[in-house]
Amino acid sequence: MSEIKRAAGLLRAGELVAFPTETVYGLGADAANPQAVAKIFAAKGRPQDHPLIVHLADAGQFDAWARDIPAAARLLAATFWPGPLTLILRRQPVVSDAITGGQDTIGLRVPNHPMALELLREFGGGLAAPSANRFGRISPTMAQHVRDELGESIAMVLDGGPCQVGIESTILDLSGDVPAILRPGTVTAAAIAAVLGQEPAVGLAPGGDTPRVSGSLESHYAPRTPLELVSSDGLVFAVRNAIIRRERTAFLASMAQPIHHELIEWRLAPTEPGPFARSLYASLRELDDLGCDRLVVQAPPATAGWTATLDRLRRAAG
Ligand code: TXA
Ligand code: MG
């Protein structure tokens, strides 16, 4: 039996299967089976009121999950799916509260990864899948990250190699009066505006005081080691400071190591936003595992191409 057939069989039996997407690895369960979905929350240690994204094989399955679908949603799906854009729409009444955290909306996405699409086609239905990490921690971009962190609690991990995008999808809320970006990603506000002819709002959707997007919590995507963002101008100072304070410090920076010292670990980061995002989470995990006193990341420029990466780094810094 092929790996994909076996994975689909496990999902039908209500088990958890981790699978690759172009953004990060997802922890998948049959979205139509509340007991299976409950296993996701248990494995991740995730609060029950945090809704899950349902992954679909194609936009043709829209109507099974969402209602009152605006033309904008169909247009964006036609443009960006399969791809790293999650659309928040009004849910169909049949969708279980376990998926939506009791809200009247649902997040839908068609991922752009051949293995994910093959699995979704073979499975046939929707797969609820958060990032396959413990709650609040760094999302996995390699199968080994998932095995290390959740190996015991899941039936199978499909290995599709390293994720090509490396950070989570853009979340766009289309359930309200104006389109609103709830989580920035590589599908940018400008790219969405170009399709809609309207600039999306940025920030939390109005009306909720509980976090509708767990990725909106301040401390998220976080390594264990305290992380600090430092501008390129401040890096030399940060190195000197670490040496004076006798703190073993790991740096992730695009500039060459200015001072060599036994207390300083230095990793070079890519200078372009795409490659930086692709390698970011694996680098943070690796640096975290060094067990240093502190991590210092060179802050990327606050320009449009870096919005999503900067967002994740700020949350990682808490
Ligand atoms: O790239 C991604 O989106 C990855 C891959 C696996 O697809 N998934 C992912 O899932 O990042 P997760 O659960 O780690 O983050 C999804 C975010 C959560 O913060 C959740 O609160 C939010 O989406 N979300 C899901 N449904 C929602 C809804 N109906 N309204 C508002 N936010 C929602
Ligand atoms: Mg997550």
Side-chain angles (χ1 to χ4, degrees), residues 23 46 51 53 55 105 109 130-131 169 171 183 212-215:
T23 58
R46 176 165 167 147
I53 297 171
H55 296 69
T105 55
R109 166 166 124 79
S131 51
S169 62
I171 299 182
R183 180 175 72 184
R212 297 182 60 188
V213 180
S214 65

Side-chain angles (χ1 to χ4, degrees), residues 19-28 40 44 46 49-55 83-91 99-101 103-111 127-133 135 137 139-140 165-173 175 182-183 204-205 211-217 220-221 312:
F19 62 94
T21 80
E22 80 281 35
T23 58
V24 301
Y25 274 74
L27 180 57
I40 290 180
K44 279 186 66 96
R46 176 165 167 147
D49 62 345
H50 287 245
L52 302 172
I53 297 171
V54 173
H55 296 69
L85 175 67
T86 296
L87 299 176
I88 307 294
L89 301 166
R90 296 185 187 196
R91 67 155 155 174
I99 300 276
T100 65
Q103 302 177 57
D104 191 36
T105 55
I106 182 158
L108 298 174
R109 166 166 124 79
V110 176
L127 288 180
S131 51
N133 52 277
F135 180 66
R137 307 209 51 83
S139 297
V165 172
I167 57 174
E168 305 79 358
S169 62
T170 304
I171 299 182
L172 182 70
D173 187 352
S175 69
L182 304 185
R183 180 175 72 184
L204 279 182
R212 297 182 60 188
V213 180
S214 65
S216 70
L217 291 179
H220 213 76
Y221 313 106
R312 301 310 189 276

